Amino acid sequence: MFSRRQKHILLKFFSMFSVVRGYNILIVVIAQYLTSIYILAHDKPLKEVVFDINLLMLVLASAATIAAGYIINNFYDSEKDLINRPNKSKLDKLVSQNTKLSFYFVLNFSAVIMASYVSFKAVLFFSIYIFGIWFYSHKLKKLPFIGNLTSAILTILPFFAIFLYYKNFESVIFVHAIFLFLIISMRELTKDLENMKGDLLLDYKTIPIVYGENASKIMLTILVVLSSIPIYLLLHSYHVGHMYLFFYFSVILLLVFLLLLWKSKTKTHYLILHNILKFIIVAGVFSIVLINVNVVLNRI
C-alpha cells in the first residue's frame, strides 16, 4: 500500500497531468511522427525519420510549449472552470498557482533550448508560438471569432513546424490541413456552446454569448458543409490509400453531429457533440497509417 506521502505525491502528479492534459500532448506527439513518416517525409528511409534528432527536438519543443499553454490557459480560466468543470477544477487545485507558473516558465524555457538545437529559425518560431498562446489566453480568448480562429491556428501550428522543417509543399498536405482546421474550428465553437454558463457569468464575449445559440448552430452547419470540400478532394483528387475509410466514416459522424446539433439544448448535449469531433481528430491521427499500410516494411 502507498504511504500518505506517496499518495499525496501521486495526487499532485495526476493534478499536474490533468492541468497539462498529458493525453492530448501524447496524441500530438504521435500525430507529428506519423505525419512525418507517412506524409511530409514519405520519400525518406524510415530510420532517417524516426531517429532524426532535429525532428525529436521539434516534437519535444512542441510538447513542452503545448503543456505550458495548457498551464497558462488553466491559470486565466480558473474561475470559469469552477463553474463549467467543477470536478476537474478540484483536481487541478491540488497544485498551487505558483507551482503551475513555475512549470510554465520552465517548460517554455526548455522548448526554446530544444529549438535552438535545430536552428535560429526554430527558436524564433517557438518564441512567437509561446507569445501567441499567452496572448490568446490573456486577451483573445474572450473575443468572438478572433478567439476561435486564433485557437484553431495555435492548435495546428506544431504541425507547421514539422512542415517547415521538411519543406514539403505538396498540395495534398494543404488539403489535409484545411480539413483539420475546419474540424478544430467546429470543436472550438462547440466548446463555447458547452461552456456558455461560465462564459456569461465572467463576461467572455464568445460567439454563442454575443450572437446566440441558433446563430452558432448555423455557423457549425456551414463549417460541416465546408469540410465536405477537402473530404471530396482527398477522396477523388489524391491518393490516400486505405485512409479513404476514415473520410467516409467522418462523413457519417459529421451527419450524426448535425442531426444531434439541432436537437441539442443542454451542456450534456454539447459535450457529446464535442466528443464526436474529438473522436474524429484522434481517429484521423491513427488513420494516417492507412495511407500505406506497407510503408514501414518497404522503407526499413
Side-chain angles (χ1 to χ4, degrees):
M1 294 292 290
F2 291 112
S3 67
R4 188 173 179 179
R5 178 176 173 77
Q6 287 172 326
K7 286 180 181 178
H8 181 71
I9 293 170
L10 200 59
L11 281 172
K12 293 267 188 182
F13 170 79
F14 282 119
S15 175
M16 204 64 206
F17 189 83
S18 171
V19 171
V20 302
R21 302 188 192 182
Y23 42 87
N24 284 355
I25 294 171
L26 179 61
I27 293 295
V28 171
V29 169
I30 294 170
Q32 285 181 303
Y33 266 104
L34 290 180
T35 301
S36 299
I37 293 168
Y38 287 89
I39 301 175
L40 295 174
H42 59 82
D43 56 339
K44 293 180 180 290
L46 181 65
K47 288 181 180 178
E48 188 178 320
V49 179
V50 174
F51 297 107
D52 186 344
I53 299 299
N54 285 342
L55 176 60
L56 175 63
M57 290 297 109
L58 289 174
V59 170
L60 291 177
S62 298
T65 305
I66 294 166
Y70 280 128
I71 290 173
I72 200 66
N73 194 55
N74 177 273
F75 178 80
Y76 284 116
D77 277 357
S78 57
E79 289 183 63
K80 189 177 81 166
D81 287 342
L82 279 172
I83 301 165
N84 291 327
R85 299 180 180 87
N87 291 330
K88 185 179 184 301
S89 290
K90 287 178 184 177
L91 179 62
D92 293 352
K93 279 186 172 292
L94 293 175
V95 175
S96 70
Q97 296 287 47
N98 285 338
T99 302
K100 290 175 188 174
L101 287 178
S102 297
F103 268 107
Y104 169 74
F105 289 112
V106 169
L107 286 167
N108 282 332
F109 180 73
S110 300
V112 173
I113 293 297
M114 287 183 281
S116 69
Y117 182 89
V118 181
S119 67
F120 175 73
K121 288 181 180 178
V123 171
L124 191 61
F125 174 88
F126 280 100
S127 298
I128 294 170
Y129 188 28
I130 289 165
F131 174 78
I133 291 174
W134 170 79
F135 193 56
Y136 162 76
S137 300
H138 183 53
K139 290 286 184 184
L140 300 182
K141 189 173 186 177
K142 297 182 180 182
L143 303 175
F145 294 109
I146 295 173
N148 297 70
L149 181 64
T150 306
S151 179
I153 291 171
L154 290 172
T155 303
I156 64 172
L157 267 183
F159 299 96
F160 191 67
I162 309 298
F163 167 76
L164 289 177
Y165 175 62
Y166 285 114
K167 296 181 173 65
N168 186 336
F169 300 104
E170 294 177 24
S171 58
V172 65
I173 294 167
F174 292 97
V175 180
H176 272 285
I178 290 168
F179 174 72
L180 178 60
F181 177 80
L182 290 170
I183 296 295
I184 291 170
S185 297
M186 288 181 224
R187 191 194 67 174
E188 291 303 315
L189 185 48
T190 305
K191 278 168 62 179
D192 286 342
L193 284 165
E194 182 188 342
N195 297 328
M196 279 193 298
K197 185 179 178 181
D199 290 341
L200 183 62
L201 289 172
L202 294 171
D203 199 33
Y204 278 54
K205 303 297 183 183
T206 60
I207 292 172
I209 299 299
V210 176
Y211 300 100
E213 283 186 67
N214 277 341
S216 301
K217 290 179 180 181
I218 291 169
M219 291 177 203
L220 279 168
T221 303
I222 293 169
L223 287 171
V224 170
V225 172
L226 288 175
S227 71
S228 66
I229 299 172
I231 290 175
Y232 178 83
L233 290 173
L234 288 165
L235 289 172
H236 295 91
S237 300
Y238 299 101
H239 176 71
V240 293
H242 289 88
M243 197 180 179
Y244 76 88
L245 295 169
F246 163 73
F247 290 113
Y248 280 125
F249 185 55
S250 294
V251 170
I252 294 169
L253 284 179
L254 288 172
L255 289 174
V256 172
F257 174 87
L258 268 186
L259 184 65
L260 295 176
L261 173 66
W262 287 98
K263 294 183 178 181
S264 296
K265 295 179 180 178
T266 67
K267 179 182 172 68
T268 304
H269 293 157
Y270 293 126
L271 178 61
I272 293 169
L273 294 174
H274 179 195
N275 286 331
I276 289 173
L277 296 172
K278 188 183 286 187
F279 179 79
I280 291 174
I281 294 169
V282 175
V285 169
F286 292 100
S287 295
I288 292 172
V289 299
L290 297 175
I291 291 175
N292 187 347
V293 291
N294 296 316
V295 71
V296 174
L297 292 175
N298 294 339
R299 289 163 63 190
I300 290 177

